[in-house]
Amino acid sequence: MEETIRVFEVRKEVLRKDVTTERMIFELKEYENIGEKEWVYHAPNAQDHTEQQVEEILKKLKELNSTADNKG
């Protein structure tokens, strides 16, 4: 006998207190149409970023920090 289960989450509330750890999520994406795989960084805002995108983000962040006036 085959069983099918469907779960629908209507509303979920999450309350976090004193979160002291950070998670970095990486996912292996498989592109069947082109037969390739790559690891992507899954950002906290639920966006996926490729290695090239993360390098570009890091490059820009370093550039901003090197020219920033960090005196307050």
Side-chain angles (χ1 to χ4, degrees):
M1 181 167 132
E2 189 173 320
E3 185 176 321
T4 302
I5 298 173
R6 292 184 182 180
V7 177
F8 296 93
E9 184 174 303
V10 178
R11 183 175 178 167
K12 182 177 183 179
E13 293 183 17
V14 178
L15 178 62
R16 291 185 174 185
K17 292 184 180 181
D18 301 317
V19 176
T20 58
T21 60
E22 291 185 27
R23 295 186 306 173
M24 295 180 74
I25 301 171
F26 298 92
E27 182 179 351
L28 182 60
K29 294 279 188 175
E30 296 186 38
Y31 305 104
E32 293 180 12
N33 56 340
I34 58 174
E36 293 185 9
K37 299 178 188 179
E38 72 176 335
W39 284 96
V40 296
Y41 167 64
H42 189 74
N45 63 356
Q47 292 182 341
D48 291 334
H49 298 284
T50 65
E51 181 179 353
Q52 294 81 13
Q53 290 171 323
V54 172
E55 287 175 355
E56 195 62 34
I57 292 167
L58 182 58
K59 178 182 169 184
K60 187 64 176 177
L61 184 60
K62 286 179 179 181
E63 177 186 318
L64 291 169
N65 281 325
S66 68
T67 60
D69 181 16
N70 294 323
K71 294 181 182 177

